[in-house]
Each structure stands twice: as C-alpha cells, then as structure tokens.
Amino acid sequence: MTVAEGEPGTEVSRAQDGGEAGLGALRDALNEVRRVIVGQDHMVERLLVALLARGHCLLEGVPGVAKTLAASTLATVVGGTFARIQFTPDLVPSDIVGTRVYHPSTERFDIELGPVFVNFLLADEINRAPAKVQSALLEVMAERQVTLAGVTHQLPRPFVVLATQNPIESEGVYPLPEVQRDRFLFKVRVAHPSAHEELEILHRMSVTPPVAGKVLDPAQLLALQKAAEEVSVHQLVADYVVRLVMSTRSPGEYGLRELEETIEIGVSPRATLGLVAAGRALALLRGRDYLLPDDVRDVAVDVMSHRLMLTFDALADGIEPEDVVRQILMSVPPPLVVWNQGQR
C-alpha cells in the first residue's frame, strides 16, 4: 500500500495566521514547559498533543516524577483559567460540579458552579475518589457540560482534564472503571528520571526554581485546535488506523492468533477517533498539514493501551497492555509513503 504525498519541502502549518506563527508558538510553549520540567519529554509532548486534539490526559507514575508540576506548568504556559482538585475518599460530586445553595436573604435557591468551570482542570490522584465522584466527571469529560437542577451549563472553551494517579498504592484507592479510562485520549506512564536528569533537577530546583511564563492564550489555542482538525488524512492512513483497531478485536484475522488468549475485549471506537485526532495534533506540532503513518504509530501505545482489556491469565502472567500494542504495531504493516516529485 502506498500513500502519495507532495514534495517534502512543502511542509507547512495551518496554525494561527496560516503559517509559521502558530508553529513557532507551539515550539515556544514546549520550550517554556521544558524550562521548568527536567527531562520527561515524552510526557510534556503528549500533554501538548492532548490539548491540540481536544482530549484529556491521564498521567500515571510514582510520586515525585513531576506529574502535577507538568500539568500546572502547561496550564500556565497556555493561559486561561486553572483549577486543581485534590481527590480524596470523602469528596462528593457537588464538590467538583457545583450545587444548589439556599440564600435566606433572598429566600431562593441559587446555582453555585463548581471548580470544573475552568479551561484546565487538574484532577490530582483521581483514583482516590469513590465511584460516585468519578461518575460525575463522565458528563464533564465527554460532553463538556454540567447539568444542575435540570439546567445545563456549558464549560468554557477550551476545556481539558489533566489527571494524575499513583499506580503503586492500594490503600484508599478506587481503580478507574473502564468507561472512565475510555474518556481519556492518552494514558501516559511517567518513569523516573535518568542519572543525568536527576543531577540537572538538583542544580535547577535546589536554589530558585524557574517559573514558567505565559506563551499562548485560549483564543490562540482554539485556533491551533482548529488547525489540527484540518490536517489532511489520506484514505490509506485511515485504513491503517482501522486495521490497528480491528486487530485488537479479531487478532486472528491479522496474523496475531497468539493474542486471542491475551485480549479479552478490544479497544472501542474512541480509540479509532483518538488515533486520528492525536496523530493530526502531533503532525501539526511537527510542522505538517498532513498525517503520516509514523504519527499514528507514535501515539498508538498511549491511545490504545488503557482501552485494552486483557484476560485473567494474561494479567496473571504479568503481560502489560503496552507490550500488546507494540506487538500489534510490529505485525500490522503501515502503508508506504512515496513522494510524488514535481506535484504540488
């Protein structure tokens, strides 16, 4: 299979002002975050890609690897309103979405909107809240609205949930249900820094920690999100995305019979949409207005792994969903890109 594209020299960004201004702003935003966050380039890039793709991002890692700092720093760089909610077992839905409050002076009930009515919501340790609170976020994340007393209130645009969770704790933790994990565009595993990065953290953060400055604003981000949606997708690349998704549901049909005993339930259609949306955003970040198979492959693990449900035997054997997705990427061939020289 072959995808025909224009000449490599025709790479452009359809971002703000239709040219280099939008791409330059994105690079400036990345550099500003990296001025505060040492290493963790994969996590920082995925956070920005999630913003461009209008998706939510779940960061999973042990304490102290800059998950919360990265989320709050990105919100500062991009601009807009920001709120952090520390999820605890005693949290109730009204603490996050709002409630009706009776005012004796006016003898009537008024709606008090909750802290979710911001551009960037940091849900810290999201797996510490009970199911009732987690379910309250479903409407917020999917429809970007809140219904209180029969009245629907739209959330500000842009809106994104950046959530963190600690995978090693088991006391006082409520694992996220599959339906809520599916609402996240990305699940990014955050590892410990290397020895070189650890030394840089010591030098950078032990005196006067750097503070990020504002690079973008909500209007610019909305324009960049629109530009990401306009990134073109060739039919063969779309077919590749579908084949990746279908290989998780019917692995035997794609030469992956060994995964039939590993995968209980394949990924949902949200994975299909997520692969394209995230790939488009990554292509825009890389300065292109068209999607390549490599863009899809680069985001596939973070988009698909948390949507896979493995069998009990696979879990008992310690098989990780990320390894399953990597095996699929190795077995399902991408279309070949051939440049049409001389065509514009």
Coordinates of all heavy atoms in Angstrom, one line a residue, residues 138-177:
L138 N -17.9 12.0 34.2 CA -18.2 11.5 32.8 C -18.8 12.5 31.9 O -18.4 12.7 30.8 CB -19.0 10.2 32.9 CG -18.4 9.0 33.6 CD1 -19.3 7.9 33.7 CD2 -17.1 8.6 32.9
E139 N -19.9 13.2 32.4 CA -20.5 14.2 31.6 C -19.6 15.4 31.3 O -19.6 15.9 30.2 CB -21.8 14.7 32.3 CG -22.6 15.7 31.4 CD -23.8 16.3 32.2 OE1 -23.8 16.2 33.4 OE2 -24.6 16.9 31.5
V140 N -18.8 15.7 32.3 CA -17.9 16.8 32.2 C -16.8 16.5 31.1 O -16.6 17.4 30.2 CB -17.1 17.1 33.5 CG1 -16.0 18.1 33.4 CG2 -18.1 17.6 34.6
M141 N -16.3 15.3 31.1 CA -15.2 15.0 30.1 C -15.8 14.7 28.7 O -15.1 15.0 27.7 CB -14.5 13.7 30.7 CG -13.7 14.0 32.0 SD -13.0 12.5 32.6 CE -11.7 12.2 31.4
A142 N -17.0 14.1 28.6 CA -17.5 13.7 27.3 C -18.2 14.8 26.6 O -18.0 15.1 25.5 CB -18.4 12.4 27.5
E143 N -19.2 15.4 27.4 CA -20.0 16.5 26.8 C -19.5 17.9 27.1 O -20.0 18.8 26.5 CB -21.4 16.3 27.2 CG -22.2 15.3 26.5 CD -21.9 13.9 27.1 OE1 -21.7 13.8 28.3 OE2 -21.9 12.9 26.3
R144 N -18.5 18.0 28.0 CA -18.0 19.3 28.4 C -19.2 20.2 28.8 O -19.3 21.4 28.4 CB -17.2 20.0 27.2 CG -15.9 19.3 27.0 CD -15.2 19.7 25.8 NE -13.8 19.3 25.7 CZ -13.4 18.1 25.4 NH1 -14.3 17.2 25.1 NH2 -12.1 17.8 25.4
Q145 N -20.0 19.7 29.7 CA -21.1 20.4 30.3 C -21.5 19.8 31.6 O -21.1 18.7 31.9 CB -22.3 20.4 29.4 CG -22.9 19.0 29.2 CD -24.1 18.9 28.2 OE1 -24.2 19.8 27.3 NE2 -25.0 18.0 28.4
V146 N -22.2 20.5 32.4 CA -22.7 20.1 33.7 C -24.2 20.4 33.8 O -24.6 21.5 33.5 CB -21.9 20.8 34.9 CG1 -22.6 20.5 36.2 CG2 -20.5 20.3 34.9
T147 N -25.0 19.4 34.3 CA -26.4 19.6 34.5 C -26.7 19.7 36.0 O -26.4 18.8 36.7 CB -27.2 18.5 33.8 OG1 -26.9 18.4 32.5 CG2 -28.7 18.7 34.0
L148 N -27.2 20.8 36.4 CA -27.5 21.1 37.8 C -29.0 21.6 37.9 O -29.4 22.5 37.2 CB -26.6 22.2 38.4 CG -25.1 21.8 38.5 CD1 -24.3 23.0 38.9 CD2 -24.9 20.7 39.5
A149 N -29.8 20.9 38.7 CA -31.2 21.2 38.9 C -31.9 21.3 37.5 O -32.8 22.2 37.3 CB -31.3 22.5 39.6
G150 N -31.6 20.4 36.6 CA -32.3 20.3 35.3 C -31.8 21.4 34.3 O -32.3 21.4 33.2
V151 N -30.8 22.2 34.7 CA -30.3 23.2 33.8 C -28.9 22.8 33.4 O -28.0 22.5 34.2 CB -30.3 24.6 34.5 CG1 -29.7 25.6 33.5 CG2 -31.7 25.0 34.9
T152 N -28.6 22.9 32.1 CA -27.3 22.5 31.5 C -26.4 23.8 31.4 O -26.8 24.8 30.9 CB -27.4 21.9 30.1 OG1 -28.2 20.7 30.3 CG2 -26.1 21.5 29.6
H153 N -25.2 23.6 32.0 CA -24.2 24.7 32.0 C -23.0 24.3 31.1 O -22.4 23.3 31.4 CB -23.8 25.1 33.4 CG -24.9 25.5 34.3 ND1 -25.4 26.7 34.4 CD2 -25.7 24.7 35.1 CE1 -26.4 26.8 35.3 NE2 -26.6 25.5 35.7
Q154 N -22.7 25.0 30.1 CA -21.6 24.7 29.2 C -20.3 25.1 29.9 O -20.2 26.2 30.5 CB -21.7 25.4 27.9 CG -22.9 25.0 27.1 CD -22.9 23.5 26.6 OE1 -21.8 23.0 26.4 NE2 -24.0 22.9 26.6
L155 N -19.3 24.3 29.8 CA -18.0 24.6 30.3 C -17.2 25.5 29.3 O -17.6 25.6 28.1 CB -17.1 23.3 30.5 CG -17.6 22.3 31.5 CD1 -17.0 21.0 31.4 CD2 -17.4 22.9 32.9
P156 N -16.3 26.3 29.8 CA -15.6 27.2 29.0 C -14.8 26.5 27.9 O -14.4 25.3 28.1 CB -14.7 28.0 29.9 CG -14.5 27.1 31.1 CD -15.8 26.4 31.2
R157 N -14.5 27.1 26.8 CA -13.7 26.6 25.7 C -12.3 27.3 25.7 O -12.3 28.5 25.8 CB -14.4 26.7 24.4 CG -15.7 25.9 24.3 CD -15.5 24.4 24.4 NE -16.7 23.6 24.1 CZ -17.6 23.3 24.9 NH1 -17.4 23.6 26.2 NH2 -18.7 22.6 24.6
P158 N -11.2 26.6 25.5 CA -11.1 25.2 25.5 C -11.2 24.6 26.9 O -11.1 25.3 27.9 CB -9.6 25.0 25.0 CG -8.9 26.2 25.5 CD -9.9 27.3 25.4
F159 N -11.5 23.3 27.0 CA -11.5 22.6 28.3 C -10.8 21.3 28.2 O -11.0 20.5 27.3 CB -13.0 22.4 28.7 CG -13.1 21.5 30.0 CD1 -12.9 22.1 31.2 CD2 -13.5 20.2 29.9 CE1 -13.0 21.4 32.4 CE2 -13.6 19.4 31.1 CZ -13.3 20.0 32.3
V160 N -10.0 21.0 29.2 CA -9.3 19.7 29.2 C -9.1 19.3 30.7 O -8.8 20.1 31.6 CB -7.9 19.8 28.5 CG1 -7.0 20.8 29.2 CG2 -7.3 18.5 28.3
V161 N -9.2 18.0 30.9 CA -8.9 17.4 32.2 C -7.5 16.7 32.1 O -7.2 15.9 31.3 CB -9.9 16.3 32.6 CG1 -9.5 15.6 33.9 CG2 -11.3 17.0 32.7
L162 N -6.6 17.2 33.0 CA -5.3 16.6 33.2 C -5.3 15.9 34.5 O -5.4 16.5 35.6 CB -4.2 17.6 33.1 CG -4.2 18.5 31.9 CD1 -3.1 19.6 32.0 CD2 -4.0 17.8 30.6
A163 N -5.3 14.5 34.5 CA -5.5 13.8 35.8 C -4.2 13.0 36.1 O -3.4 12.7 35.2 CB -6.6 12.8 35.6
T164 N -3.9 12.8 37.3 CA -2.8 12.0 37.8 C -3.2 10.9 38.7 O -4.3 11.0 39.3 CB -1.7 12.9 38.6 OG1 -2.3 13.2 39.8 CG2 -1.4 14.1 37.8
Q165 N -2.5 9.8 38.7 CA -2.7 8.7 39.6 C -1.4 8.0 39.9 O -0.5 7.9 39.1 CB -3.8 7.7 39.0 CG -3.4 6.9 37.9 CD -4.4 5.9 37.5 OE1 -5.6 5.9 38.0 NE2 -4.1 5.0 36.5
N166 N -1.4 7.4 41.1 CA -0.3 6.7 41.6 C -0.6 5.2 41.5 O -1.5 4.7 42.1 CB 0.0 7.0 43.1 CG 1.2 6.3 43.7 OD1 1.8 5.5 43.0 ND2 1.4 6.6 45.0
P167 N 0.2 4.4 40.7 CA -0.1 3.0 40.4 C 0.3 2.1 41.5 O 0.0 0.9 41.5 CB 0.7 2.7 39.1 CG 1.9 3.6 39.3 CD 1.4 4.9 40.0
I168 N 1.1 2.5 42.5 CA 1.7 1.6 43.5 C 0.9 1.5 44.8 O 1.1 0.6 45.6 CB 3.2 1.9 43.8 CG1 3.3 3.3 44.4 CG2 4.0 1.9 42.5 CD1 4.7 3.7 44.9
E169 N 0.0 2.4 45.0 CA -0.8 2.4 46.2 C -2.0 1.6 46.1 O -2.6 1.5 45.0 CB -1.2 3.8 46.7 CG 0.0 4.6 47.2 CD -0.5 5.9 47.9 OE1 -0.7 5.9 49.1 OE2 -0.6 6.9 47.2
S170 N -2.4 0.9 47.1 CA -3.6 0.0 47.1 C -4.6 0.4 48.2 O -5.7 0.0 48.2 CB -3.2 -1.4 47.2 OG -2.5 -1.7 48.4
E171 N -4.1 1.2 49.2 CA -5.0 1.5 50.3 C -5.7 2.8 50.0 O -5.1 3.8 49.7 CB -4.2 1.7 51.6 CG -5.0 2.0 52.9 CD -4.2 2.0 54.1 OE1 -3.0 1.6 54.1 OE2 -4.7 2.4 55.2
G172 N -7.0 2.8 50.2 CA -7.8 4.0 49.9 C -7.9 4.4 48.5 O -8.0 5.6 48.1
V173 N -7.8 3.4 47.6 CA -7.7 3.7 46.1 C -8.9 3.0 45.4 O -9.2 1.9 45.8 CB -6.4 3.2 45.5 CG1 -6.4 3.3 44.0 CG2 -5.2 4.0 46.0
Y174 N -9.5 3.8 44.5 CA -10.7 3.2 43.8 C -10.2 3.2 42.3 O -10.2 4.2 41.6 CB -11.9 4.1 43.9 CG -12.4 4.3 45.3 CD1 -11.8 5.3 46.2 CD2 -13.4 3.5 45.9 CE1 -12.2 5.4 47.5 CE2 -13.8 3.7 47.2 CZ -13.2 4.6 48.0 OH -13.6 4.8 49.3
P175 N -9.9 2.0 41.8 CA -9.4 1.9 40.4 C -10.5 2.5 39.4 O -11.7 2.4 39.6 CB -9.3 0.4 40.1 CG -9.1 -0.2 41.5 CD -9.9 0.7 42.4
L176 N -10.0 3.3 38.4 CA -10.9 3.9 37.4 C -11.6 2.8 36.6 O -11.0 1.9 36.1 CB -10.1 4.8 36.5 CG -9.4 6.0 37.1 CD1 -8.7 6.8 35.9 CD2 -10.4 6.9 37.8
P177 N -12.9 2.9 36.5 CA -13.7 1.9 35.7 C -13.3 2.1 34.2 O -12.8 3.2 33.8 CB -15.1 2.3 35.9 CG -15.1 3.7 36.4 CD -13.8 3.9 37.1

